[in-house]
Structures are given as structure tokens and as C-alpha cells.
Amino acid sequence: MKIKTITCKRILNLGSYESRHFDITADISEGEDPDVEASKLIEFVERKVRERVDLEIEVTDLKEQIADLKNELARLEKQKAILTEVEPDPDDIPFKSGEASNSSDFPGGF
């Protein structure tokens, strides 16, 4: 039997009911070892099928991280609004400028 062509097909599960199909066929020239050429083809297909998937996964991860950070920002803004809405204590009135308080019985205000 003489092998003239080799084909490699790879289906990569992307999750969320999505997958990527990638297949390639190569002709084997006279004198080439089919085992060696098949290994090269498999390596090539594996590398190519994951090439764009890695990028897509990174973008998906970034989108999820951005959404999480937006949610966290909204939560913090609500918390900030609650904390800044605290009414001032009516008993905590600062002295008017220029007035001095000498409530001590010691001479010189000590």
C-alpha cells in the first residue's frame, strides 16, 4: 500500500455548545516517510486550531473581568453614597473663628 495523502481533523470544544473544526490534507511526495509527515501534520493542526482560540478565550475572560469590575464599581458607589449621606451630629458644632474657650478653672486656660 502506498500512502499518497494524509488528512488530520481536529474538533476543539470551546464550551457553551460551541466547537471549532479544523482539518487539513497534505500530499506525500515520493521518498517522504508517511509517519513523519503525519506527525508534522498533526502538530501543525494542533497548533493552528488553538491559535485563535487562545486569543478568543483571553478576550472572553477580559469581557467577564470587565463586567465583574463594573458590578464591583456600582456596589462601591452605592456604599459610598450611603456613607456620605450621614447627617452631621448637631452636638458637634465647631467654634466660630476668633472665639476662645476658657472653661478651665486654671489660670491661663491650662
Side-chain angles (χ1 to χ4, degrees):
M1 173 176 74
K2 193 169 193 175
I3 299 173
K4 294 182 181 183
T5 60
I6 52 175
T7 301
C8 180
K9 180 176 183 176
R10 176 73 157 94
I11 301 171
L12 183 66
N13 183 7
L14 301 174
S16 301
Y17 303 101
E18 296 178 333
S19 60
R20 170 169 288 175
H21 297 250
F22 187 81
D23 63 276
I24 191 164
T25 301
D27 292 325
I28 299 177
S29 299
E30 199 60 44
E32 290 180 323
D33 183 359
D35 288 332
V36 171
E37 297 306 312
S39 295
K40 287 179 187 177
L41 187 62
I42 291 168
E43 182 182 321
F44 178 77
V45 168
E46 286 296 324
R47 188 175 61 247
K48 287 298 181 183
V49 78
R50 293 184 181 278
E51 196 170 83
R52 294 293 305 170
V53 171
D54 292 341
L55 180 61
E56 290 171 10
I57 290 172
E58 287 176 19
V59 169
T60 301
D61 289 345
L62 288 175
K63 287 179 182 178
E64 290 173 3
Q65 289 175 2
I66 289 170
D68 290 344
L69 289 171
K70 284 181 178 180
N71 290 336
E72 178 69 8
L73 178 61
R75 186 187 69 76
L76 290 171
E77 285 175 345
K78 286 179 185 177
Q79 188 177 11
K80 177 186 173 189
I82 291 169
L83 293 173
T84 56
E85 289 177 4
V86 175
E87 294 184 22
D89 184 2
D91 295 330
D92 188 21
I93 301 172
F95 294 103
K96 292 182 182 178
S97 99
E99 290 185 4
S101 172
N102 190 357
S103 61
S104 173
D105 293 334
F106 296 103
F110 296 101

